[in-house]
Structure formats: structure tokens, C-alpha cells
Amino acid sequence: MKFCIKKLIIFLVLFGKMAFSWSSHGVFTFLIATSIDGFDYSKQVEISEYSYSESRNYKPGRYITYDLVQEGEKKIDREDDVLQETGIEIVPDLVLSDGKIPVWMIFLIYSSLPDNGMDFVEDNFFASLFLGQTQANRHGYFKLSFFEYFEGDKSFLHFLRMSKNAFNKGDTYWGYRFLAYALHYLEDLMQPYHVRPGTVPEMITYLFDGRMKTFLRNAHSAYDDYMTFLLYFSDYKHDFRELIKSSKPLILPVSDEQLIYEAIVYSYTSFFAIHEEIKKVFGNILSERRVRVEDFQKAEEEGKLDNLYELTKKLVSTLTSLAKGVIITTVLTSK
């Protein structure tokens, strides 16, 4: 029994190290924010200095508090066809006038920032031993019996509270920036592999067969990358973008804690069908390497991704509706 518990802890550590993020957070969140009826995403807000105290620890230099665009450290691809489709005028060379930035740009840039180092904290032997890589810890959620591992739900709630606090004090810049962070974690937790690393038999097999690590890691990354494929390379990319834009806001009459719990449960129940499709389509590849764009393209041409596409549309429709609801309630109720 002690041996199995020890192996399970190792499994969770390794799961933490492979649990990164659903791809294309920036453009995905951009499409969400710019498709809400009545939401002024083109409004210019004044860039303000960071003046907040946070209970979470961050490694010095990892948690950026200045504006990346203003400092010339963030570039946006003006040729990106997703941006061009919207008709939004992109500021030439990203030079911001009067120290202001449009709301849509905050969502586009900062919804991906949690994956760019901010969630690495100071080295801690015990945290590394039992929880693995801190960045992964903050982007997933895994429950086993009465035990909970990782803190993706807490990450969402933390930045949602920070966003509401900023809006309440009239700091719209950080209100939107913290909200972009919060949406990142909501998107992560509705990626099924962030809340369920594998089936029970696979997890048991992993305890005795290290090859399962490669298989599950590649299955996870395949579904991460499938989002980018659908947004940029799929024959259905325009339909998929339209799905995101046409989803109606879903405002649940529940607390923020209950909302993220419901999102996790929905993601968890979606895992099994999606995982089966990933295995069915890419089974042999998953045991050897990460799935590539050409693998997705070949599978789509052969009609092997049809079922996965339908499952993903259902999941993404719910995610985008929830995210739009969060934006509306956070911005409106905090004024």
C-alpha cells in the first residue's frame, strides 16, 4: 500500500509537470470579449501603475506589473487573419497615445500571461516534492477521494476578486487585466485534461509502467494543440471562430465558487468521450511523440476528427458562454 501511495504521489508530480495550458488563450479570449453585444471592447482605458497586495507568492521578476505594450515588449501580429476578420484597427506599431490602451488589447495580451512565467514561484523543496511544478499547480485541478491537488480553481477566484476590487476602486486598467488572468484559468479548467489526467485503468497502469507517462502527456498536449488547429489550420476554422462569437452569455445565479465548481464538473464529465476520441485517432502516435499539425490535417481529411470536432464544439460553446457571462457580471456589477 505504501508503495502504491508513493507511486501515486509521483504520478501527480509528473501530471503537474505536463499540465500546461489550452493553446491560443490570447486570440480565443479576444474573440470572446469582442463578440459580446453591447460590450465596449474598443474603449480606451488609462494605463495605471500596479498598487495591489496579493496573498500569492511569485518569483521575483516573473510577475510583470508594467504594461508590456507601452514598454515595447509585446508585439501583435497585424497580419493575423483572426484579427483582420474583426475589422478592428490595430494601433500602428503598437505605439499607444496618451498612455491609454483599448480593452480588446488587454484581453488579447494578458489572458495568455499566466503561461509566460508568472506562475513560477520561489523554489520550495516540499512544494516540489509533493506538488511538482508550481506553474502547473496553478493551472489544473485534480480530486482523488477527499484529497484535492492543484489550485486552478483558486487561481480563477483570486484574480476574479482582484478584478472586482480594481473596478470598485475605479482602476479599469487593472480591472480588465486581472479579469483577463481569471479567464485564463477558467479556460484551463474547461480543458478536460486539466481536471482528469487519464482513466482509472490508465492511472493504475502508470504506477507500474512508465511508458504511460508519455502516452498521457501526448494525449493532453494533443487536445491543447487541437484548439490552435481549429482556430488557424482546420477546414472549419471560420465556422469554429463563428461558434465562439455567436455563443450567448450564460450568467449563472450562483457564487463565483459554485461557478468554477460547475465548470470543473462539466469539464470532468466531458473528459471520457474526448479522451476516447483522442486515443482512437492518434493512438499509435501518442505512444511515441507529440501530435503535429500535419497529423491533425491528415486526420481531418480522412474524416477521423468529426466526432472530436462535435464534442469540442459543445464544450467550447459552454465555455465561451460562461466566459462572456463572467465578463458581463464582473464589469457591470463592479461599477
Side-chain angles (χ1 to χ4, degrees), residues 24-227:
S24 302
H25 280 284
V27 71
F28 183 76
T29 310
F30 166 83
L31 287 173
I32 289 173
T34 56
S35 59
I36 301 174
D37 291 339
F39 179 61
D40 188 5
Y41 55 81
S42 294
K43 178 176 62 176
Q44 298 275 336
V45 299
E46 186 173 354
I47 297 171
S48 58
E49 293 186 3
Y50 176 86
S51 58
Y52 299 86
S53 297
E54 298 190 44
S55 57
R56 304 200 332 163
N57 292 323
Y58 298 96
K59 192 171 185 177
R62 291 284 193 175
Y63 189 57
I64 297 172
T65 56
Y66 55 83
D67 189 83
L68 292 166
V69 179
Q70 191 175 54
E71 295 300 320
E73 295 184 18
K74 182 64 179 180
K75 303 296 181 182
I76 296 177
D77 182 6
R78 300 178 66 191
E79 303 303 317
D80 189 315
D81 57 339
V82 173
L83 301 184
Q84 290 182 344
E85 278 186 5
T86 65
I88 292 176
E89 181 180 359
I90 300 178
V91 180
D93 301 321
L94 297 182
V95 176
L96 304 182
S97 60
D98 301 324
K100 294 182 178 180
I101 184 173
V103 171
W104 66 263
M105 193 177 290
I106 296 175
F107 282 113
L108 178 64
I109 293 171
Y110 292 106
S111 59
S112 62
L113 199 64
D115 279 338
N116 297 331
M118 65 175 270
D119 277 332
F120 286 111
V121 299
E122 69 278 1
D123 296 330
N124 183 296
F125 172 77
F126 292 103
S128 300
L129 177 63
F130 291 104
L131 297 176
Q133 192 182 84
T134 306
Q135 179 172 357
N137 298 339
R138 292 182 169 178
H139 292 254
Y141 177 92
F142 181 58
K143 184 177 179 64
L144 181 66
S145 184
F146 297 105
F147 301 97
E148 296 179 352
Y149 302 89
F150 314 126
E151 51 187 51
D153 57 331
K154 295 180 179 63
S155 298
F156 168 78
L157 292 170
H158 171 78
F159 284 112
L160 194 59
R161 285 192 292 267
M162 296 293 294
S163 175
K164 292 179 179 180
N165 290 338
F167 278 121
N168 285 331
K169 63 184 286 189
D171 188 355
T172 54
Y173 172 78
W174 278 99
Y176 283 117
R177 183 160 165 174
F178 286 138
L179 181 54
Y181 294 164
L183 291 174
H184 177 104
Y185 299 103
L186 174 63
E187 293 164 12
D188 271 0
L189 292 177
M190 288 201 73
Q191 206 282 44
Y193 286 95
H194 280 250
V195 300
R196 178 90 192 193
T199 65
V200 171
E202 287 168 346
M203 293 167 66
I204 293 175
T205 300
Y206 175 83
L207 298 177
F208 308 98
D209 186 353
R211 292 174 297 181
M212 187 58 71
K213 170 189 172 183
T214 299
F215 182 86
L216 292 178
R217 181 187 65 232
N218 288 334
H220 181 131
S221 62
Y223 204 53
D224 276 347
D225 297 339
Y226 186 53
M227 173 67 79

